[in-house]
Amino acid sequence: MQLWFLTSKILSSGLIMSIAFSTADGWIISHLEYLNNVYKNATSQTGLCSLTFNKMLFEINSQYLRQNQVIRDMQDETNSLPSKTRKRKRMKLLPEDHLNEINLIQQAFNKLISSAKSNGLFCDNIVSDNNEAARSTSEKFYSDTFHQRLENLHGCNNSDEAIIWEAQYKKYVFPRRCSFYCYDVRNMMEKMKLNNQYDFVLLDPPWWNKSIRRKKSKSVEASYKMMYNEELVKIPVGKLLCSNGIVAIWCTNAPSHLHSIFNEMFPSWGITYKAKWYWVKVTQMGNTICNFTSAPGKQPYELIILGCASNVNINIPDSKLIVSVPSAVHSHKPPLIEVIKEYLPSEPKCLEIFARYLLPGWTSWGLEVLKFQDLSLYTILENVKNTKETTENPD
């Protein structure tokens, strides 16, 4: 095991913000803006600097189409003759309760996005190219970083400033006051203090699903290690959460996963269900990345299931929307701290399990915990120290 610490006396400045717009239905947040604010002031071994995240990963300018859909659309546009249509099977509809839920999400989304656009958010003059730049940038990132396997690593940045540092011969950027464990989740009981200290525990499980399994057979770079629901139940969340803490789980739309949360995980952890929120993914023009559908299949949203320690009366509203332009890299989820903070103490202790990036003031656990901390994803805008010296001592 490697254990290392980063320390500094540099004070941070500015409040990290991600919420761009909010109504009673939910929030519109900017994941990219949040990341840029986190690393607006950083320090490296050569001095102070400012970092920006690779914005190409957020260049989502159109709905996601498979390559065969793109080719078919191009053929339809250039061919004046009517195309032959295949005989389709009768579409299977989702259960009525699921259809009602989708309808409510769509109505709330339309209201929220309409208000946002009337206030100047989102652009109408975006060139649509099936997200070519985002796709190619994502593929290159997977290819460049696939063999960089960090394991059995624990570290923290105890300073009040983001820091650029080297770990296992690779440069990473670390937000202020963060701590991380790069271990398998099965090792939590032996590596962490299970003394009920966290006010908020967030999980982004690698849910077992057929789609990822198919990707794994075609491209190892685009896959990750999945876990069965029976394994997820064993995570000691109940021993990590404080007596009035909140738990949030990112979840797919698969009924089996929801059943496991409600009937296995939450009861095992001593958690009472409180609310279900929805992350709706949109393009830069504010359109959903795929259509809402009444048939089984991909929807333009993911679920966030919220619960709290039993016997705690916390009023968390149901059916709130979180709307954002998603990253092109799989499982690069948007930050939740600003939309959940009103239900937490003023200076909460937060833990993310199955984390893929670090957050200021948080403890993060996961085999891919430094995935999006790779310095190659950031641009060093300026050396703050040198800029200051140039201003004070002009030629």
Side-chain angles (χ1 to χ4, degrees):
M1 180 188 76
Q2 291 184 330
L3 177 66
W4 50 277
F5 297 87
L6 310 175
T7 59
S8 172
K9 293 183 179 179
I10 301 172
L11 297 178
S12 61
S13 60
L15 181 64
I16 298 171
M17 296 292 289
S18 62
I19 299 176
F21 186 77
S22 65
T23 69
D25 293 303
W27 309 270
I28 295 175
I29 67 176
S30 172
H31 191 173
L32 177 61
E33 187 68 20
Y34 178 84
L35 292 171
N36 289 341
N37 282 330
V38 169
Y39 304 106
K40 191 173 184 179
N41 295 295
T43 183
S44 67
Q45 292 167 312
T46 59
L48 299 179
C49 61
S50 179
L51 305 177
T52 58
F53 190 80
N54 189 338
K55 66 178 182 179
M56 302 304 290
L57 287 174
F58 290 93
E59 293 287 334
I60 311 301
N61 53 51
S62 59
Q63 290 191 337
Y64 269 91
L65 299 175
R66 296 186 298 274
Q67 191 59 34
N68 62 335
Q69 291 176 299
V70 176
I71 295 173
R72 185 170 65 247
D73 289 348
M74 292 175 63
Q75 290 174 342
D76 290 343
E77 291 177 2
T78 57
N79 190 355
S80 59
L81 297 176
S83 60
K84 294 181 179 180
T85 58
R86 296 180 181 178
K87 186 177 180 180
R88 296 182 179 180
K89 296 181 180 179
R90 182 177 295 178
M91 185 175 68
K92 182 180 179 181
L93 295 179
L94 291 164
E96 185 176 356
D97 58 341
H98 199 164
L99 292 175
N100 291 335
E101 181 180 34
I102 292 172
N103 185 49
L104 290 174
I105 298 169
Q106 192 168 7
Q107 289 180 11
F109 169 75
N110 289 339
K111 285 172 55 183
L112 178 57
I113 211 72
S114 177
S115 296
K117 288 185 176 182
S118 65
N119 280 272
L121 272 74
F122 299 105
C123 301
D124 293 325
N125 58 346
I126 301 294
V127 178
S128 176
D129 63 0
N130 197 26
N131 313 310
E132 182 178 345
R135 288 174 183 269
S136 60
T137 304
S138 175
E139 290 170 1
K140 185 178 186 304
F141 173 67
Y142 274 124
S143 177
D144 292 346
T145 61
F146 172 64
H147 295 290
Q148 297 171 9
R149 297 289 184 179
L150 291 176
E151 295 182 1
N152 302 327
L153 181 65
H154 167 45
C156 68
N157 172 13
N158 283 331
S159 77
D160 289 315
E161 196 77 51
I163 292 180
I164 299 172
W165 210 260
E166 188 174 285
Q168 295 188 357
Y169 310 106
K170 184 73 177 177
K171 285 190 175 182
Y172 298 91
V173 57
F174 302 91
R176 61 177 178 82
R177 298 291 174 185
C178 71
S179 175
F180 68 88
Y181 295 81
C182 190
Y183 291 99
D184 191 294
V185 71
R186 299 171 184 88
N187 301 126
M188 290 192 77
M189 296 189 72
E190 62 183 78
K191 300 295 182 182
M192 291 190 72
K193 295 180 180 179
L194 306 180
N195 57 357
N196 305 101
Q197 72 269 41
Y198 292 103
D199 301 293
F200 183 51
V201 176
L202 174 65
L203 299 95
D204 185 13
W207 300 105
W208 182 269
N209 69 75
K210 294 179 181 179
S211 174
I212 297 300
R213 185 170 59 184
R214 285 194 295 269
K215 286 183 180 180
K216 191 170 185 178
S217 64
K218 296 179 181 179
S219 174
V220 179
E221 291 88 348
S223 66
Y224 59 91
K225 294 182 180 180
M226 295 176 287
M227 290 182 68
Y228 290 105
N229 294 349
E230 294 81 1
E231 297 177 286
L232 297 173
V233 173
K234 298 177 182 178
I235 299 173
V237 173
K239 296 180 179 180
L240 292 163
L241 193 69
C242 68
S243 59
N244 60 345
I246 296 175
V247 172
I249 306 180
W250 288 100
C251 187
T252 69
N253 294 299
S256 61
H257 297 153
L258 285 171
H259 180 275
S260 182
I261 291 174
F262 294 138
N263 299 288
E264 298 169 358
M265 296 181 193
F266 275 9
S268 175
W269 299 338
I271 302 301
T272 299
Y273 167 73
K274 286 294 181 179
K276 184 192 293 184
W277 291 357
Y278 307 93
W279 173 35
V280 184
K281 308 172 209 178
V282 297
T283 69
Q284 293 172 318
M285 290 186 285
N287 304 317
T288 53
I289 62 165
C290 66
N291 295 327
F292 289 95
T293 177
S294 58
K298 186 176 181 180
Q299 299 285 357
Y301 63 86
E302 292 185 37
L303 309 176
I304 306 166
I305 310 301
L306 297 116
C308 66
S310 298
N311 302 319
V312 175
N313 186 21
I314 300 178
N315 184 23
I316 302 176
D318 197 22
S319 302
K320 298 281 266 185
L321 304 188
I322 297 171
V323 178
S324 73
V325 177
S327 166
V329 183
H330 181 77
S331 286
H332 193 191
K333 298 293 198 304
L336 296 182
I337 185 59
E338 285 198 291
V339 299
I340 198 70
K341 67 181 182 181
E342 67 178 283
Y343 312 106
L344 299 173
S346 58
E347 295 184 7
K349 295 189 66 176
C350 302
L351 167 69
E352 182 173 8
I353 303 173
F354 302 111
R356 274 101 177 173
Y357 65 103
L358 305 181
L359 292 165
W362 284 49
T363 298
S364 304
W365 181 293
L367 288 173
E368 297 181 312
V369 73
L370 297 183
K371 186 179 184 74
F372 297 106
Q373 304 307 127
D374 194 310
L375 190 59
S376 66
L377 286 171
Y378 297 81
T379 298
I380 300 178
L381 286 182
E382 60 184 359
N383 187 301
V384 178
K385 183 178 180 180
N386 289 344
T387 301
K388 183 178 179 181
E389 290 176 350
T390 302
T391 304
E392 293 177 348
N393 301 292
D395 292 336

